[in-house]
Amino acid sequence: MTAILVSVAELSNIFSVLAVLICFCGVFLFIMRNMMVLRVHGDDLMFGGGGGGVITHSPRIPQMEMMKVHIPFTFKLHESFRSTYAEVECEVSSQVEYSLQAIWGVCIRELHLALWKPWSTLRDASLNGTLLQGHAQYLTPPQTRQPHDEETLRLSLPAPGLELGIPPRLCYPLVIFLIRRDNRDLHPDETVALVNVVHIRDSVCTLPTSILAQYLKQANGQLSCLKQLYLATGNSSNYDESDAMSSAGLGSPALALAEPCNNNDTTNGTGGGRGTLVASGQSGEQENGSLWNTAGEQLCVVCQYFPLSRALLPCRHTCICASCFDKLERCPMCRSPIKSYFCIRSEEYMPPEKEINPCKQRQPSHGPTHWLHDWNDRLTDFLGFAR
C-alpha cells in the first residue's frame, strides 16, 4: 500500500509539470498567432489613443445621396492666353441654343440675389437685356448662339476705367452667363444656366486670373456651386454616364461636385447645403504616378488593384476603392478626416467579401486541434482583439 501511495505522489508531480508546460505552450501559441493583432492595437491598449491602427469604421461614415445631372454647356479660360481687362479669352461649347452675356464690375450681393430668382424671371431678364441692370458697371448685349462644339471666344471691356476698389472688393470683375433660350417645358432637374465668375489679375489684386466660382441653375430654381473633384489624373473619360454622374461637363472631361447653395446666404453664394449632391464634369487636379488596369480604369492609390470608385468629403479626393475605404479614417492623399463620401461609379467589380479577405470568415476546422482554435477565438473575442 505504501508503494502505491509513493507512486501516485510521484505521478502527481509529473502531471503538475505537464500541466504547466501545456499552459506555457498554449500561451506561446496564442501570442504567436495574435502577434499582428498585438502590434497593430498595442498603442491603443497601452495608451488609449488612436495609435495609427487600422480601424474598420465604414458604418459610421454616411454615404451622400447623388443625382445625375446633364450640363449642356462647357466653359473654361484659355490657359495659354494672358487675360486682361482689355480682353479675356475663353473656350465655350453648348449642346442647346443659348444666350451668352458678359457683365463687368458686378455687385456681389446683387448677383446672388438675382441667381436665386425663379428661372422664368432670370430667362426673361436675359432675353430683354436687363439682367443685373443698374448693378454692374458695363453690360454687353446678349448674344444668341446655336449649338456648337468647343469654340474660342474673346470678350473685351466695352470702355476703359473699370473701378473695383481695394480688397476686400464688393464687385466681381467679370461674370459670364450661359442661359438656355428654349421655351419648351423642361424637366425640373435640367440645367438651364451656367454662371461663371472670373477674377482678372491687376496691380491691386495680384491673384492669378482664374474662375472664382461656377454656379448651376436648374429649372426647379435650385442653385448649386460647382467644385472640383481631385482625381489622380485629369482624365475621366472611362467614367461615362452609366458609371459616373454625367456625360457632359465643364472644361476637360472629368468629374465635379455641385453643392447646393443656401438660400439665406446672399453674400458669397457658397452656402452650406448638405442635401442632394449633383455631379457633373469639371477638370480635376493632375497628379503623377497613377496606375491603370488593362481595361483603362484608374486604380486605387492604396491597394493598386481595384478601380477607384469613391470620392471623399470634404476634401473631394477621388482616389480609393470600396475595399480600402473600410480600412481608412483619413484621406490617403491629404490626411484630412473622412466625414462622408459618394460613389462616382458602380462597384460591381468588387468580389464577395469572402474572396476579398478570407481571414474574416474562418473555414470550419477539422481534426484533433479544432477545439483549440475554438477556445483561441473565444479568448480573442473576450480580450477585444480583431480576428
Side-chain angles (χ1 to χ4, degrees), residues 205-217:
C205 190
T206 58
L207 294 174
T209 299
S210 60
I211 300 177
L212 289 179
Q214 291 180 304
Y215 297 99
L216 291 181
K217 185 72 173 179

Side-chain angles (χ1 to χ4, degrees), residues 75-79 83 88-91 198-199 209-211:
F75 176 89
K76 63 180 178 180
L77 293 177
H78 204 282
E79 298 178 358
S83 299
V88 176
E89 188 172 286
C90 57
E91 295 183 5
V198 179
H199 165 70
T209 299
S210 60
I211 300 177

Side-chain angles (χ1 to χ4, degrees), residues 2-211:
T2 303
I4 296 175
L5 293 176
V6 171
S7 300
V8 170
E10 292 177 352
L11 290 176
S12 63
N13 294 333
I14 295 175
F15 290 150
S16 300
V17 173
L18 289 176
V20 172
L21 289 176
I22 292 173
C23 292
F24 177 79
C25 293
V27 172
F28 178 77
L29 291 175
F30 174 80
I31 293 176
M32 292 298 294
R33 285 171 52 81
N34 295 276
M35 184 174 294
M36 180 60 66
V37 176
L38 292 172
R39 185 175 67 180
V40 171
H41 296 277
D43 292 341
D44 294 339
L45 293 173
M46 294 296 295
F47 304 107
V54 179
I55 304 175
T56 302
H57 66 292
S58 57
R60 295 190 291 108
I61 300 181
Q63 179 178 358
M64 302 302 292
E65 181 184 359
M66 301 304 297
M67 179 179 62
K68 297 179 181 179
V69 171
H70 175 80
I71 305 178
F73 310 110
T74 68
F75 176 89
K76 63 180 178 180
L77 293 177
H78 204 282
E79 298 178 358
S80 61
F81 187 80
R82 297 178 63 87
S83 299
T84 63
Y85 287 110
E87 195 170 49
V88 176
E89 188 172 286
C90 57
E91 295 183 5
V92 180
S93 72
S94 176
Q95 300 175 1
V96 296
E97 182 182 2
Y98 71 103
S99 171
L100 185 146
Q101 185 175 15
I103 304 179
W104 301 78
V106 180
C107 175
I108 296 177
R109 184 176 186 277
E110 296 299 330
L111 170 65
H112 293 293
L113 288 175
L115 292 179
W116 274 110
K117 292 181 179 178
W119 154 236
S120 57
T121 303
L122 191 66
R123 180 189 59 196
D124 294 342
S126 174
L127 294 175
N128 300 330
T130 59
L131 184 60
L132 292 173
Q133 192 170 34
H135 304 294
Q137 298 183 29
Y138 298 102
L139 284 78
T140 59
Q143 307 174 25
T144 301
R145 301 175 62 86
Q146 299 298 320
H148 61 86
D149 294 330
E150 193 168 86
E151 179 180 334
T152 300
L153 300 178
R154 291 192 174 185
L155 309 174
S156 57
L157 187 64
L162 191 64
E163 297 292 338
L164 299 176
I166 61 174
R169 291 172 169 173
L170 301 179
C171 295
Y172 288 134
L174 175 61
V175 179
I176 301 172
F177 286 84
L178 305 177
I179 300 179
R180 298 180 72 140
R181 291 186 62 92
D182 48 358
N183 295 320
R184 64 179 179 86
D185 292 334
L186 300 174
H187 189 277
D189 295 331
E190 281 200 65
T191 300
V192 294
L194 175 64
V195 182
N196 308 277
V197 179
V198 179
H199 165 70
I200 302 175
R201 182 176 181 175
D202 56 24
S203 58
V204 178
C205 190
T206 58
L207 294 174
T209 299
S210 60
I211 300 177

Side-chain angles (χ1 to χ4, degrees), residues 297-315:
E297 297 171 322
Q298 190 174 346
L299 300 180
C300 170
V301 299
V302 178
C303 67
Q304 297 182 357
Y305 182 78
F306 293 118
L308 60 85
S309 60
R310 297 193 179 187
L312 309 180
L313 297 175
C315 66

Side-chain angles (χ1 to χ4, degrees), residues 235-250:
N235 184 357
S236 65
S237 57
N238 295 289
Y239 300 99
D240 55 16
E241 188 165 322
S242 60
D243 291 333
M245 302 295 114
S246 173
S247 61
L250 309 179

